[in-house]
Amino acid sequence: MIYVGVSACLLGQKVRYDGGHKASGFCQHELGRHVEYLPLCPEVGVGLSVPRATIRLIGDVSAPRAVVQKTGEDLTEKLEDFASVRAEQLAKLSGYVLCAKSPSCGMERVRVYEENSNANVKQGMGIFAKRLQKMFPAMPMEEDGRLNDPELRENFVLRLYVYAEWKQLAENINKGILYAFHARHKLLLLAHNQAVYRELGRELGELDALSDEFLETYICRLMAALSLPATRKDHTNVLQHVQGYFKQHIDSSSRTELADLILRYHHGIEPLSAPLTLMNHYLKRYPDAYLESQSYFQPYPDDLRLRYGL
Ligand code: SF4
């Protein structure tokens, strides 16, 4: 099972300052079919009531304080501690979906106010979210609003599944398991960042002994590389590379059909799912151990339909 942390209000829990929620259909009904959630509300978790007075981020944009607007109570440490004392529970998570704009949960562009003023800049990060990122730098985190964008949604879910696999393997990792993991994600990584794929491959090749430090750096770099969007050009390069594997099996008209489909994808006429569906069909008819091992062909469950929007 994949465990995912989520701002409790996104699952429909009425924990917001105004007694409401911010239910996310994608979290509740689509992703929710495949993961087990750990819903947390940091503000309720530090003892605030529902409803409650609003909190603002105030002061230095790079290190603002979370302050209750009415009373001036500073909740910064309490919100940070809320994450720290749950470290063991949070360490089981493969990803986190956060509620946007919140001074506790917001991941980016949270308003930071000047002291005793309404002047603000949208450049902050929620206190809980910031601590979470510091504690688990490789863990995929995303905001509910950004998940409405098909590319960002696909990218988050893709990273979620790769990181969940990593967490499972990391329990008994050795060099062989690490090399196999790297090889299995080759095409995926090539689509997102060729340079990092090659750099990491070179470092793995020169590796004498595994260390916790190496593993942490490796997974952070791999996850950062995957967070870069893969363009149509990048996917086209990967698809054309894969196309070569079927040359010996399919006749010339089928080869032309596949090549045309890849080009139609490249020009934005077809979604990514179109050439991949045909390739998966050929893969079933002409099995190839290397291609079948590649996460690129099925990085997450098909019923999420994430590649139809790419
Ligand atoms: S955004 Fe975070 S702190 Fe605010 S209600 Fe939702 S879970 Fe609670």
Side-chain angles (χ1 to χ4, degrees), residues 6-10 13-18 20-22 39-45 48 50 52 55 79 96-106 128:
V6 62
S7 297
C9 55
L10 296 179
Q13 293 186 19
K14 295 181 176 176
V15 288
R16 296 193 79 212
Y17 71 96
D18 58 1
H21 61 73
K22 273 201 77 183
L40 292 173
C41 175
E43 292 178 16
V44 170
L48 301 182
V50 181
R52 57 184 170 273
I55 295 171
L79 287 167
Y96 212 107
V97 185
L98 292 153
C99 182
K101 298 180 188 162
S102 155
S104 305
C105 294
F128 171 72

mmCIF file of all heavy atoms in Angstrom, residues 6-10 13-18 20-22 39-45 48 50 52 55 79 96-106 128, ligand 1:
data_model
loop_
_atom_site.group_PDB
_atom_site.id
_atom_site.type_symbol
_atom_site.label_atom_id
_atom_site.label_comp_id
_atom_site.label_asym_id
_atom_site.label_seq_id
_atom_site.Cartn_x
_atom_site.Cartn_y
_atom_site.Cartn_z
ATOM 1 N N VAL A 6 -1.913 14.119 3.630
ATOM 2 C CA VAL A 6 -2.801 15.082 2.961
ATOM 3 C C VAL A 6 -3.319 16.080 3.991
ATOM 4 O O VAL A 6 -3.565 15.728 5.151
ATOM 5 C CB VAL A 6 -3.971 14.335 2.264
ATOM 6 C CG1 VAL A 6 -4.844 13.577 3.248
ATOM 7 C CG2 VAL A 6 -4.827 15.289 1.431
ATOM 8 N N SER A 7 -3.439 17.332 3.578
ATOM 9 C CA SER A 7 -4.093 18.326 4.432
ATOM 10 C C SER A 7 -5.536 17.853 4.632
ATOM 11 O O SER A 7 -6.265 17.633 3.652
ATOM 12 C CB SER A 7 -4.086 19.699 3.752
ATOM 13 O OG SER A 7 -2.763 20.148 3.576
ATOM 14 N N ALA A 8 -5.934 17.697 5.877
ATOM 15 C CA ALA A 8 -7.221 17.055 6.172
ATOM 16 C C ALA A 8 -8.399 17.742 5.489
ATOM 17 O O ALA A 8 -9.359 17.084 5.080
ATOM 18 C CB ALA A 8 -7.430 17.030 7.683
ATOM 19 N N CYS A 9 -8.330 19.063 5.319
ATOM 20 C CA CYS A 9 -9.449 19.793 4.695
ATOM 21 C C CYS A 9 -9.661 19.357 3.250
ATOM 22 O O CYS A 9 -10.763 19.483 2.721
ATOM 23 C CB CYS A 9 -9.225 21.301 4.792
ATOM 24 S SG CYS A 9 -7.661 21.843 4.093
ATOM 25 N N LEU A 10 -8.618 18.811 2.600
ATOM 26 C CA LEU A 10 -8.759 18.380 1.202
ATOM 27 C C LEU A 10 -9.566 17.091 1.082
ATOM 28 O O LEU A 10 -10.026 16.734 0.001
ATOM 29 C CB LEU A 10 -7.376 18.188 0.562
ATOM 30 C CG LEU A 10 -6.510 19.442 0.446
ATOM 31 C CD1 LEU A 10 -5.169 19.104 -0.181
ATOM 32 C CD2 LEU A 10 -7.217 20.510 -0.387
ATOM 33 N N GLN A 13 -12.748 17.154 5.438
ATOM 34 C CA GLN A 13 -12.899 17.359 6.881
ATOM 35 C C GLN A 13 -13.068 18.855 7.159
ATOM 36 O O GLN A 13 -12.304 19.687 6.640
ATOM 37 C CB GLN A 13 -11.680 16.801 7.632
ATOM 38 C CG GLN A 13 -11.575 15.290 7.532
ATOM 39 C CD GLN A 13 -10.443 14.722 8.392
ATOM 40 O OE1 GLN A 13 -9.950 15.360 9.314
ATOM 41 N NE2 GLN A 13 -10.032 13.506 8.069
ATOM 42 N N LYS A 14 -14.056 19.178 7.996
ATOM 43 C CA LYS A 14 -14.371 20.596 8.261
ATOM 44 C C LYS A 14 -13.461 21.127 9.361
ATOM 45 O O LYS A 14 -13.864 21.261 10.521
ATOM 46 C CB LYS A 14 -15.835 20.732 8.635
ATOM 47 C CG LYS A 14 -16.762 20.360 7.484
ATOM 48 C CD LYS A 14 -18.210 20.537 7.870
ATOM 49 C CE LYS A 14 -19.101 20.251 6.663
ATOM 50 N NZ LYS A 14 -20.526 20.316 6.999
ATOM 51 N N VAL A 15 -12.229 21.399 8.970
ATOM 52 C CA VAL A 15 -11.220 21.816 9.954
ATOM 53 C C VAL A 15 -10.650 23.204 9.646
ATOM 54 O O VAL A 15 -9.739 23.668 10.337
ATOM 55 C CB VAL A 15 -10.046 20.801 10.017
ATOM 56 C CG1 VAL A 15 -10.477 19.512 10.683
ATOM 57 C CG2 VAL A 15 -9.486 20.511 8.615
ATOM 58 N N ARG A 16 -11.184 23.875 8.629
ATOM 59 C CA ARG A 16 -10.635 25.186 8.269
ATOM 60 C C ARG A 16 -11.007 26.243 9.308
ATOM 61 O O ARG A 16 -11.925 26.051 10.113
ATOM 62 C CB ARG A 16 -11.117 25.612 6.886
ATOM 63 C CG ARG A 16 -10.619 24.682 5.788
ATOM 64 C CD ARG A 16 -10.840 25.294 4.439
ATOM 65 N NE ARG A 16 -9.829 26.272 4.125
ATOM 66 C CZ ARG A 16 -10.033 27.363 3.388
ATOM 67 N NH1 ARG A 16 -11.234 27.637 2.938
ATOM 68 N NH2 ARG A 16 -9.053 28.188 3.138
ATOM 69 N N TYR A 17 -10.318 27.359 9.237
ATOM 70 C CA TYR A 17 -10.558 28.433 10.209
ATOM 71 C C TYR A 17 -12.024 28.874 10.238
ATOM 72 O O TYR A 17 -12.555 29.278 11.267
ATOM 73 C CB TYR A 17 -9.649 29.632 9.915
ATOM 74 C CG TYR A 17 -10.038 30.375 8.661
ATOM 75 C CD1 TYR A 17 -10.839 31.507 8.724
ATOM 76 C CD2 TYR A 17 -9.638 29.919 7.413
ATOM 77 C CE1 TYR A 17 -11.223 32.175 7.573
ATOM 78 C CE2 TYR A 17 -10.019 30.574 6.266
ATOM 79 C CZ TYR A 17 -10.812 31.697 6.344
ATOM 80 O OH TYR A 17 -11.208 32.335 5.212
ATOM 81 N N ASP A 18 -12.719 28.755 9.093
ATOM 82 C CA ASP A 18 -14.113 29.195 9.019
ATOM 83 C C ASP A 18 -15.109 28.048 9.203
ATOM 84 O O ASP A 18 -16.301 28.194 8.947
ATOM 85 C CB ASP A 18 -14.365 29.886 7.672
ATOM 86 C CG ASP A 18 -14.061 28.969 6.483
ATOM 87 O OD1 ASP A 18 -13.676 27.801 6.713
ATOM 88 O OD2 ASP A 18 -14.209 29.420 5.328
ATOM 89 N N GLY A 20 -15.173 25.345 7.445
ATOM 90 C CA GLY A 20 -15.438 24.673 6.172
ATOM 91 C C GLY A 20 -14.330 23.686 5.805
ATOM 92 O O GLY A 20 -13.455 23.368 6.618
ATOM 93 N N HIS A 21 -14.420 23.208 4.577
ATOM 94 C CA HIS A 21 -13.386 22.290 4.070
ATOM 95 C C HIS A 21 -12.996 22.739 2.664
ATOM 96 O O HIS A 21 -13.541 23.711 2.147
ATOM 97 C CB HIS A 21 -13.910 20.854 4.053
ATOM 98 C CG HIS A 21 -15.114 20.657 3.169
ATOM 99 N ND1 HIS A 21 -15.050 20.649 1.790
ATOM 100 C CD2 HIS A 21 -16.429 20.496 3.480
ATOM 101 C CE1 HIS A 21 -16.247 20.479 1.296
ATOM 102 N NE2 HIS A 21 -17.115 20.389 2.296
ATOM 103 N N LYS A 22 -12.059 22.030 2.059
ATOM 104 C CA LYS A 22 -11.659 22.348 0.680
ATOM 105 C C LYS A 22 -11.533 21.055 -0.110
ATOM 106 O O LYS A 22 -10.499 20.780 -0.726
ATOM 107 C CB LYS A 22 -10.321 23.107 0.668
ATOM 108 C CG LYS A 22 -10.486 24.607 0.808
ATOM 109 C CD LYS A 22 -9.290 25.348 0.293
ATOM 110 C CE LYS A 22 -9.250 25.421 -1.219
ATOM 111 N NZ LYS A 22 -8.037 26.089 -1.717
ATOM 112 N N PRO A 39 -4.493 11.854 6.907
ATOM 113 C CA PRO A 39 -4.980 13.237 6.888
ATOM 114 C C PRO A 39 -4.561 13.966 8.157
ATOM 115 O O PRO A 39 -4.792 13.463 9.258
ATOM 116 C CB PRO A 39 -6.508 13.088 6.819
ATOM 117 C CG PRO A 39 -6.813 11.663 7.150
ATOM 118 C CD PRO A 39 -5.539 10.904 7.317
ATOM 119 N N LEU A 40 -3.938 15.119 7.999
ATOM 120 C CA LEU A 40 -3.499 15.895 9.169
ATOM 121 C C LEU A 40 -3.906 17.356 9.000
ATOM 122 O O LEU A 40 -3.799 17.908 7.900
ATOM 123 C CB LEU A 40 -1.970 15.840 9.309
ATOM 124 C CG LEU A 40 -1.335 14.496 9.675
ATOM 125 C CD1 LEU A 40 0.189 14.604 9.609
ATOM 126 C CD2 LEU A 40 -1.764 14.031 11.059
ATOM 127 N N CYS A 41 -4.338 17.960 10.087
ATOM 128 C CA CYS A 41 -4.540 19.411 10.098
ATOM 129 C C CYS A 41 -3.599 19.973 11.165
ATOM 130 O O CYS A 41 -3.854 19.836 12.370
ATOM 131 C CB CYS A 41 -5.980 19.777 10.428
ATOM 132 S SG CYS A 41 -6.158 21.583 10.588
ATOM 133 N N PRO A 42 -2.500 20.583 10.742
ATOM 134 C CA PRO A 42 -1.524 21.079 11.718
ATOM 135 C C PRO A 42 -2.120 22.102 12.692
ATOM 136 O O PRO A 42 -1.762 22.096 13.869
ATOM 137 C CB PRO A 42 -0.443 21.728 10.847
ATOM 138 C CG PRO A 42 -0.624 21.151 9.497
ATOM 139 C CD PRO A 42 -2.062 20.794 9.356
ATOM 140 N N GLU A 43 -3.032 22.932 12.209
ATOM 141 C CA GLU A 43 -3.565 23.982 13.094
ATOM 142 C C GLU A 43 -4.448 23.382 14.182
ATOM 143 O O GLU A 43 -4.344 23.756 15.356
ATOM 144 C CB GLU A 43 -4.308 25.042 12.260
ATOM 145 C CG GLU A 43 -3.338 25.829 11.388
ATOM 146 C CD GLU A 43 -3.998 26.874 10.494
ATOM 147 O OE1 GLU A 43 -5.168 27.229 10.720
ATOM 148 O OE2 GLU A 43 -3.322 27.322 9.548
ATOM 149 N N VAL A 44 -5.294 22.431 13.808
ATOM 150 C CA VAL A 44 -6.088 21.735 14.834
ATOM 151 C C VAL A 44 -5.140 20.909 15.711
ATOM 152 O O VAL A 44 -5.310 20.825 16.927
ATOM 153 C CB VAL A 44 -7.170 20.838 14.166
ATOM 154 C CG1 VAL A 44 -7.830 19.929 15.199
ATOM 155 C CG2 VAL A 44 -8.220 21.711 13.482
ATOM 156 N N GLY A 45 -4.108 20.357 15.064
ATOM 157 C CA GLY A 45 -3.139 19.524 15.784
ATOM 158 C C GLY A 45 -2.371 20.266 16.871
ATOM 159 O O GLY A 45 -1.910 19.657 17.836
ATOM 160 N N LEU A 48 -5.674 24.433 18.129
ATOM 161 C CA LEU A 48 -6.610 25.496 17.767
ATOM 162 C C LEU A 48 -8.001 24.903 17.531
ATOM 163 O O LEU A 48 -8.138 23.736 17.185
ATOM 164 C CB LEU A 48 -6.122 26.238 16.519
ATOM 165 C CG LEU A 48 -4.748 26.902 16.636
ATOM 166 C CD1 LEU A 48 -4.406 27.634 15.351
ATOM 167 C CD2 LEU A 48 -4.709 27.873 17.817
ATOM 168 N N VAL A 50 -12.059 24.922 15.885
ATOM 169 C CA VAL A 50 -12.762 25.157 14.609
ATOM 170 C C VAL A 50 -14.145 25.703 14.965
ATOM 171 O O VAL A 50 -14.867 25.041 15.707
ATOM 172 C CB VAL A 50 -12.940 23.845 13.819
ATOM 173 C CG1 VAL A 50 -13.648 24.117 12.501
ATOM 174 C CG2 VAL A 50 -11.619 23.140 13.601
ATOM 175 N N ARG A 52 -11.833 29.322 14.057
ATOM 176 C CA ARG A 52 -10.751 29.972 14.819
ATOM 177 C C ARG A 52 -10.359 31.284 14.145
ATOM 178 O O ARG A 52 -10.702 31.513 12.964
ATOM 179 C CB ARG A 52 -9.525 29.057 14.909
ATOM 180 C CG ARG A 52 -8.995 28.619 13.545
ATOM 181 C CD ARG A 52 -7.847 27.629 13.687
ATOM 182 N NE ARG A 52 -7.476 27.023 12.409
ATOM 183 C CZ ARG A 52 -8.041 25.936 11.903
ATOM 184 N NH1 ARG A 52 -9.024 25.339 12.542
ATOM 185 N NH2 ARG A 52 -7.637 25.451 10.738
ATOM 186 N N ILE A 55 -4.725 33.002 10.861
ATOM 187 C CA ILE A 55 -3.273 33.090 11.099
ATOM 188 C C ILE A 55 -2.646 33.751 9.876
ATOM 189 O O ILE A 55 -3.093 33.535 8.750
ATOM 190 C CB ILE A 55 -2.685 31.672 11.278
ATOM 191 C CG1 ILE A 55 -3.258 31.019 12.534
ATOM 192 C CG2 ILE A 55 -1.165 31.695 11.345
ATOM 193 C CD1 ILE A 55 -2.901 29.551 12.659
ATOM 194 N N LEU A 79 3.876 24.808 15.239
ATOM 195 C CA LEU A 79 3.600 24.199 13.927
ATOM 196 C C LEU A 79 4.804 23.398 13.426
ATOM 197 O O LEU A 79 4.654 22.351 12.792
ATOM 198 C CB LEU A 79 3.210 25.286 12.908
ATOM 199 C CG LEU A 79 1.814 25.882 13.107
ATOM 200 C CD1 LEU A 79 1.631 27.155 12.275
ATOM 201 C CD2 LEU A 79 0.731 24.862 12.743
ATOM 202 N N TYR A 96 2.941 13.823 -0.381
ATOM 203 C CA TYR A 96 2.081 14.660 0.455
ATOM 204 C C TYR A 96 1.332 15.646 -0.435
ATOM 205 O O TYR A 96 1.924 16.289 -1.296
ATOM 206 C CB TYR A 96 2.935 15.424 1.485
ATOM 207 C CG TYR A 96 2.215 15.668 2.789
ATOM 208 C CD1 TYR A 96 2.550 14.964 3.932
ATOM 209 C CD2 TYR A 96 1.185 16.597 2.873
ATOM 210 C CE1 TYR A 96 1.885 15.162 5.142
ATOM 211 C CE2 TYR A 96 0.513 16.802 4.069
ATOM 212 C CZ TYR A 96 0.862 16.086 5.195
ATOM 213 O OH TYR A 96 0.194 16.283 6.380
ATOM 214 N N VAL A 97 0.008 15.731 -0.227
ATOM 215 C CA VAL A 97 -0.786 16.734 -0.943
ATOM 216 C C VAL A 97 -1.179 17.810 0.056
ATOM 217 O O VAL A 97 -1.806 17.524 1.088
ATOM 218 C CB VAL A 97 -2.055 16.133 -1.584
ATOM 219 C CG1 VAL A 97 -2.761 17.207 -2.423
ATOM 220 C CG2 VAL A 97 -1.715 14.935 -2.453
ATOM 221 N N LEU A 98 -0.787 19.035 -0.256
ATOM 222 C CA LEU A 98 -0.979 20.152 0.674
ATOM 223 C C LEU A 98 -2.023 21.128 0.159
ATOM 224 O O LEU A 98 -2.204 21.275 -1.057
ATOM 225 C CB LEU A 98 0.357 20.888 0.838
ATOM 226 C CG LEU A 98 1.436 20.088 1.565
ATOM 227 C CD1 LEU A 98 2.821 20.524 1.126
ATOM 228 C CD2 LEU A 98 1.273 20.214 3.074
ATOM 229 N N CYS A 99 -2.664 21.808 1.088
ATOM 230 C CA CYS A 99 -3.682 22.794 0.713
ATOM 231 C C CYS A 99 -2.997 24.140 0.431
ATOM 232 O O CYS A 99 -2.269 24.673 1.278
ATOM 233 C CB CYS A 99 -4.698 22.925 1.840
ATOM 234 S SG CYS A 99 -6.022 24.068 1.440
ATOM 235 N N ALA A 100 -3.274 24.669 -0.753
ATOM 236 C CA ALA A 100 -2.613 25.898 -1.206
ATOM 237 C C ALA A 100 -2.967 27.108 -0.344
ATOM 238 O O ALA A 100 -4.021 27.159 0.289
ATOM 239 C CB ALA A 100 -3.016 26.178 -2.653
ATOM 240 N N LYS A 101 -2.075 28.051 -0.318
ATOM 241 C CA LYS A 101 -2.244 29.394 0.269
ATOM 242 C C LYS A 101 -2.258 29.431 1.794
ATOM 243 O O LYS A 101 -2.281 30.503 2.386
ATOM 244 C CB LYS A 101 -3.524 30.066 -0.260
ATOM 245 C CG LYS A 101 -3.521 30.289 -1.749
ATOM 246 C CD LYS A 101 -4.801 30.958 -2.192
ATOM 247 C CE LYS A 101 -4.876 31.013 -3.698
ATOM 248 N NZ LYS A 101 -6.209 31.246 -4.190
ATOM 249 N N SER A 102 -2.303 28.279 2.436
ATOM 250 C CA SER A 102 -2.410 28.257 3.893
ATOM 251 C C SER A 102 -1.077 28.644 4.551
ATOM 252 O O SER A 102 -0.017 28.187 4.113
ATOM 253 C CB SER A 102 -2.804 26.850 4.342
ATOM 254 O OG SER A 102 -2.385 26.614 5.664
ATOM 255 N N PRO A 103 -1.110 29.443 5.630
ATOM 256 C CA PRO A 103 0.133 29.796 6.325
ATOM 257 C C PRO A 103 0.770 28.590 7.024
ATOM 258 O O PRO A 103 1.921 28.645 7.432
ATOM 259 C CB PRO A 103 -0.321 30.837 7.357
ATOM 260 C CG PRO A 103 -1.785 30.608 7.521
ATOM 261 C CD PRO A 103 -2.287 30.085 6.211
ATOM 262 N N SER A 104 0.015 27.498 7.119
ATOM 263 C CA SER A 104 0.579 26.264 7.694
ATOM 264 C C SER A 104 0.941 25.270 6.598
ATOM 265 O O SER A 104 2.033 24.720 6.580
ATOM 266 C CB SER A 104 -0.440 25.604 8.640
ATOM 267 O OG SER A 104 -0.851 26.513 9.614
ATOM 268 N N CYS A 105 0.008 25.022 5.676
ATOM 269 C CA CYS A 105 0.181 23.946 4.686
ATOM 270 C C CYS A 105 0.643 24.421 3.308
ATOM 271 O O CYS A 105 1.082 23.590 2.505
ATOM 272 C CB CYS A 105 -1.133 23.191 4.501
ATOM 273 S SG CYS A 105 -1.662 22.282 5.959
ATOM 274 N N GLY A 106 0.506 25.694 2.978
ATOM 275 C CA GLY A 106 0.821 26.159 1.619
ATOM 276 C C GLY A 106 2.257 25.867 1.210
ATOM 277 O O GLY A 106 3.186 26.044 1.991
ATOM 278 N N PHE A 128 4.348 24.425 8.435
ATOM 279 C CA PHE A 128 4.349 22.950 8.478
ATOM 280 C C PHE A 128 4.952 22.392 7.189
ATOM 281 O O PHE A 128 5.787 21.483 7.214
ATOM 282 C CB PHE A 128 2.920 22.444 8.686
ATOM 283 C CG PHE A 128 2.778 20.954 8.531
ATOM 284 C CD1 PHE A 128 3.285 20.092 9.502
ATOM 285 C CD2 PHE A 128 2.143 20.406 7.417
ATOM 286 C CE1 PHE A 128 3.159 18.707 9.358
ATOM 287 C CE2 PHE A 128 2.016 19.041 7.267
ATOM 288 C CZ PHE A 128 2.516 18.182 8.242
HETATM 289 S S1 SF4 B 1 -4.894 24.100 5.127
HETATM 290 FE FE1 SF4 B 1 -3.861 22.809 6.631
HETATM 291 S S2 SF4 B 1 -4.037 23.932 8.545
HETATM 292 FE FE2 SF4 B 1 -5.535 24.811 7.134
HETATM 293 S S3 SF4 B 1 -7.427 23.688 7.527
HETATM 294 FE FE3 SF4 B 1 -6.395 22.625 5.867
HETATM 295 S S4 SF4 B 1 -5.216 21.059 6.909
HETATM 296 FE FE4 SF4 B 1 -5.775 22.540 8.468
#
